[in-house]
Amino acid sequence: MSAMLCHACYAEPDAVVDCAVCRGTGRSTRMPLCRDPWNEVTPGLWQGGHDVLSQSRGACVVADQFDLVVSLVSRQGYGPAEGVEHIVARMADAVPDAGASLVLAGLADTVADAVRSGRTVLVRCSGGLNRSGVVVASALIRLGRTPDEALAEVRAARGPWALTNPGFVGYLRRK
Ligand SMILES: [Zn+2]
């Protein structure tokens, strides 16, 4: 895993110098699994993954509890149920290049439109932290949040390790 941001200070200039977790480096090398398969970030918009701490084998299998599922990794046997709209779009866990930025913008538009029209949406990746996080945060920005509000909402829902990919944080703040 490439260097991720420290989950305590996020390498923010005013916090990193005194950060006891990363000892001032702003970096982290570990990223634990989340407890929950998915969490609601804002009403109607959920973020999750395929790998969580839960011991239940079926914990991350989606049935028909969402109207739209956006999967940034695809795995057999993880749903959603037939009849549920399912968008599969592979995305690298890296700084979005021009092509990836276009894909990301399209997904964020789709997710924001669905939430606006009252549909329930799940955006999921592997751990449910970074790739799903950058799509959800981009959708939140379209729904009126500032980039920093979007970052905070995603981390509040999925835990402090969400959006620790520095490339994604930079992408969101450039919006
Ligand atoms: Zn730190």
Side-chain angles (χ1 to χ4, degrees):
M1 186 168 68
S2 57
M4 302 304 259
L5 295 171
C6 167
H7 70 283
C9 70
Y10 303 105
E12 299 291 351
D14 56 347
V16 66
V17 287
D18 296 319
C19 183
V21 174
C22 65
R23 297 175 194 281
T25 66
R27 300 286 156 176
S28 169
T29 51
R30 95 194 165 91
M31 196 160 45
L33 296 176
C34 289
R35 193 186 61 235
D36 303 320
W38 39 74
N39 299 95
E40 195 168 26
V41 179
T42 199
L45 178 54
W46 298 68
Q47 181 183 335
H50 292 70
D51 302 306
V52 291
L53 281 175
S54 168
Q55 296 304 304
S56 159
R57 178 180 299 204
C60 295
V61 177
V62 178
D64 61 357
Q65 62 272 67
F66 303 103
D67 298 317
L68 167 66
V69 177
V70 176
S71 299
L72 305 169
V73 296
S74 69
R75 285 196 213 159
Q76 289 295 324
Y78 282 81
E82 211 169 309
V84 175
E85 187 183 356
H86 189 201
I87 297 172
V88 178
R90 294 214 180 72
M91 208 172 97
D93 212 337
V95 183
D97 60 16
S101 296
L102 274 177
V103 172
L104 188 43
L107 292 171
D109 285 340
T110 300
V111 169
D113 287 347
V115 171
R116 263 191 219 105
S117 57
R119 303 176 78 202
T120 53
V121 183
L122 169 67
V123 181
R124 62 179 177 173
C125 57
S126 295
L129 293 168
N130 276 294
R131 283 169 290 180
S132 54
V134 74
V135 171
V136 167
S138 297
L140 288 172
I141 291 168
R142 283 158 172 73
L143 293 168
R145 271 66 152 194
T146 66
D148 283 345
E149 287 168 350
L151 284 164
E153 279 184 68
V154 164
R155 288 169 181 158
R158 284 301 279 171
W161 275 274
L163 286 173
T164 48
N165 176 325
F168 288 169
V169 174
Y171 169 87
L172 291 165
R173 288 190 169 148
R174 280 193 302 275
K175 297 264 88 185

